[in-house]
Amino acid sequence: MDSLMLSCPALKSAHWSGKNSAPVCQGLLPVELYASHNRISPPIALGFKRNMAFPKIRCVDGSGALKSIGESDDSNLQVGSLVMPNGARVVGLGKNSVTPTELETDTIAFGTVAVEITPETDNQVFISEDDADLDCPSKGFCSIPDAIEAIRQGKFVIAVDDEDRENEGDLIMAASSVTPEAMAFIVRHGTGIVCVAMKEENLRRLELPLMVPDKENEDKLLTAFTISVDAKEGTTTGVSATDRAKTILALASPDSKPGDFRRPGHIFPLKYREGGVLKRAGHTEASADLATLAGLNPAAVLCEIVDNDGSMARLPRLREFAKEHNLPLISIADLVRYRRKREKLVERSAIARLPTMWGPFQAYCYRSKLDGIEHVAMVKGNIGDGLDVLVRVHSECLTGDIFGSARCDCGNQLALAMQQIELAGRGVLVYLRGHEGRGIGLGHKLRAYNLQDEGRDTVEANVELGLPVDSREYGIGAQILRDVGVRTMRLMTNNPAKYVGLRGYGLKVVGRVPVISPITQENKRYLETKRSKMGHIYGADLSGPFSAILHSNIADINSSKSLS
């Protein structure tokens, strides 16, 4: 027997009669119960579902077929009397029945693994939208196509990065379009530090080395300044608007030579990171990407905008500035999405049959064209027309997936997703590497754990370390799903950001499958923080702090001295 389900009325029962009723926690949906240090083989799943007249026990074999309904069956399934949340009982499997002593309070109190299909929910982020949505600009910003057209016409664009980064706006123009008038505008409204984003091959051609080697760069965002320059021909001091315009035009020209420039000077070339905003979401990469998308030489002038008092202009002031001068204002995040939708980011490198503990799958290996990281798609069955496919996009978690860390729910979610896809007989699990610690990396994640042990939650720890709360991006996962044939999916997730990250790319989410794992003493604060601060959704109507539920579970377990 592979799984076992107990369904009971939602809220109102006050006693257990063996056949009629069982009290449950307010709002609980499907629940799996097992002890992490005393695994039952085969596993037992205890599910609480609404709208049931009375509890039923379902014994399901490996193929998903219902074996029997009732208090016991030919597999020696028994209704036990282990006290669980608020007095609810749990079902035991014959001689392998779980006892209260196995449910230590530092392991599993309760959790959910049985899945619930929710085609529509009250949370708007799970309402499917069409492909065009990926091109819609963020609220208050212009579209990327409008910005590209402005660059093509030799006009300025204002690009704003994320508020967790610099939270600054730069005036941007194609370097080949610069005029003395444009340069005067930049000097009047900018910091005066005028930069030109250039590709590495052009910097090498002009023999412009980095100001400091990469390994010695102490700039917070690792901005790659080269030595500064002035054009020799037709300039005087190099500082006037006319002189600076001539220097920028010379940098943008494919015919320029190293001897055409004086070093140092008043223009600061910046080395563009290959891959552009898909690798580094900064103004350097955004400016050169816009020039390239406009069909121009991949070089662009950029300068930070300052307020009237000399301070850096932030978004409210940037909106006023853009309106005052009739300039497009774009978000670099929108440019990232624009490029990710249109460019192929991965290539398939291998396919092989892979027997697993859950069943046989086909393993597809994909290599990222951006950073060379290899990702895996575990494909079950025939995807066929690609409609209504059960899908999980899982972020790599070495500590949880491999070592079974009790701090998170990653390993349990991975196992459950593979199990559910195997039972469905058709589905895809995409395993995205490079997502360790929500994108901060293993070392940073372990440092964040130390801060969590000192009292911070998972969000506070990242912020204190100067790291993003969640820097994961799912465009590569979306492209992998497209490549294996998925078109519409039932997405196994509790994370609204994952849905948003997968929309577009020719994909549509037609249903959500919550993947809720056991709550323990070790992970209860982590899961509660994800719910309260990161918007994770644990079933359609599971709300309120987990700690209160957990504490009541432990109290109930501890108060049960023996099996009745």
Side-chain angles (χ1 to χ4, degrees), residues 183-380:
M183 184 53 53
F185 185 86
I186 290 175
V187 172
R188 184 160 55 249
H189 298 289
T191 60
I193 301 176
V194 181
C195 303
V196 177
M198 300 177 64
K199 290 202 168 184
E200 185 174 9
E201 59 263 32
N202 290 322
L203 294 173
R204 285 199 305 266
R205 175 175 58 83
L206 297 177
E207 298 178 4
L208 298 177
L210 292 174
M211 194 177 291
V212 296
D214 285 334
K215 292 183 179 179
E216 298 177 17
N217 192 337
E218 296 181 0
D219 180 78
K220 180 180 178 182
L221 298 173
L222 301 178
T223 305
F225 284 91
T226 74
I227 59 173
S228 57
V229 297
D230 285 335
K232 289 181 178 178
E233 186 176 346
T235 63
T236 55
T237 63
V239 73
S240 69
T242 298
D243 285 359
R244 293 198 205 190
K246 288 182 178 179
T247 300
I248 291 169
L249 290 171
L251 287 169
S253 171
D255 300 322
S256 294
K257 303 177 183 62
D260 295 338
F261 301 93
R262 288 190 298 267
R263 303 160 173 81
H266 298 85
I267 297 298
F268 296 83
L270 303 173
K271 186 177 78 171
Y272 168 90
R273 186 169 180 181
E274 205 56 45
V277 294
L278 301 184
K279 288 296 293 291
R280 180 179 182 272
H283 294 96
T284 302
E285 289 69 29
S287 62
D289 281 355
L290 287 171
T292 300
L293 291 168
L296 304 174
N297 206 353
V301 59
L302 61 156
C303 184
E304 297 98 333
I305 300 171
V306 295
D307 211 336
N308 295 330
D309 62 359
S311 62
M312 302 308 300
R314 305 302 179 189
L315 193 53
R317 173 58 186 143
L318 292 170
R319 293 191 196 280
E320 295 174 4
F321 183 87
K323 185 176 181 180
E324 179 183 346
H325 297 283
N326 194 28
L327 300 177
L329 175 70
I330 67 163
S331 161
I332 293 178
D334 288 346
L335 180 58
V336 172
R337 286 191 288 271
Y338 181 90
R339 283 197 57 195
R340 282 193 175 276
K341 181 178 178 183
R342 286 161 176 77
E343 301 174 28
K344 188 174 182 181
L345 308 177
V346 293
E347 55 188 1
R348 187 193 298 178
S349 59
I351 308 175
R353 182 181 66 86
L354 189 65
T356 75
M357 61 185 295
W358 300 282
F361 284 74
Q362 289 290 115
Y364 288 60
C365 181
Y366 289 86
R367 181 181 179 275
S368 168
K369 293 183 176 181
L370 298 177
D371 51 26
I373 291 178
E374 291 181 318
H375 309 275
V376 178
M378 300 293 288
V379 179
K380 182 69 180 182

Side-chain angles (χ1 to χ4, degrees), residues 42-112:
I44 286 179
L46 172 66
F48 296 139
K49 286 184 177 287
R50 290 181 174 276
N51 303 320
M52 294 289 182
F54 50 83
K56 294 181 179 179
I57 300 166
R58 299 191 300 164
C59 180
V60 184
D61 63 22
S63 66
L66 188 65
K67 295 177 71 173
S68 65
I69 298 179
E71 288 188 89
S72 63
D73 69 1
D74 55 9
S75 295
N76 198 23
L77 171 66
Q78 301 291 329
V79 177
S81 56
L82 171 63
V83 176
M84 278 307 289
N86 296 334
R89 306 289 172 147
V90 70
V91 221
L93 176 59
K95 61 184 179 181
N96 293 323
S97 296
V98 188
T99 67
T101 57
E102 291 176 313
L103 287 171
E104 301 171 8
T105 58
D106 63 345
T107 57
I108 301 303
F110 78 90
T112 58

Side-chain angles (χ1 to χ4, degrees), residues 8-214:
C8 54
L11 306 171
K12 298 180 180 179
S13 303
H15 64 282
W16 172 265
S17 66
K19 294 183 179 180
N20 298 321
S21 59
V24 297
C25 283
Q26 172 74 33
L28 278 180
L29 283 168
V31 175
E32 181 190 42
L33 176 66
Y34 60 96
S36 61
H37 299 314
N38 298 278
R39 296 270 178 161
I40 303 160
S41 180
I44 286 179
L46 172 66
F48 296 139
K49 286 184 177 287
R50 290 181 174 276
N51 303 320
M52 294 289 182
F54 50 83
K56 294 181 179 179
I57 300 166
R58 299 191 300 164
C59 180
V60 184
D61 63 22
S63 66
L66 188 65
K67 295 177 71 173
S68 65
I69 298 179
E71 288 188 89
S72 63
D73 69 1
D74 55 9
S75 295
N76 198 23
L77 171 66
Q78 301 291 329
V79 177
S81 56
L82 171 63
V83 176
M84 278 307 289
N86 296 334
R89 306 289 172 147
V90 70
V91 221
L93 176 59
K95 61 184 179 181
N96 293 323
S97 296
V98 188
T99 67
T101 57
E102 291 176 313
L103 287 171
E104 301 171 8
T105 58
D106 63 345
T107 57
I108 301 303
F110 78 90
T112 58
V113 297
V115 296
E116 170 199 30
I117 307 298
T118 55
E120 296 181 14
T121 74
D122 293 334
N123 194 304
Q124 293 299 307
V125 299
F126 289 112
I127 298 178
S128 293
E129 303 177 36
D130 59 33
D131 278 339
D133 292 333
L134 206 61
D135 290 336
C136 290
S138 300
K139 186 177 180 180
F141 291 96
C142 295
S143 72
I144 299 303
D146 286 347
I148 293 170
E149 183 58 31
I151 294 291
R152 185 180 293 118
Q153 294 179 16
K155 298 179 180 179
F156 281 112
V157 167
I158 301 172
V160 181
D161 66 352
D162 193 85
E163 64 181 355
D164 292 330
R165 195 174 180 273
E166 287 183 313
N167 190 22
E168 295 175 358
D170 281 26
L171 281 168
I172 288 173
M173 174 182 280
S176 58
S177 302
V178 167
T179 65
E181 292 75 22
M183 184 53 53
F185 185 86
I186 290 175
V187 172
R188 184 160 55 249
H189 298 289
T191 60
I193 301 176
V194 181
C195 303
V196 177
M198 300 177 64
K199 290 202 168 184
E200 185 174 9
E201 59 263 32
N202 290 322
L203 294 173
R204 285 199 305 266
R205 175 175 58 83
L206 297 177
E207 298 178 4
L208 298 177
L210 292 174
M211 194 177 291
V212 296
D214 285 334

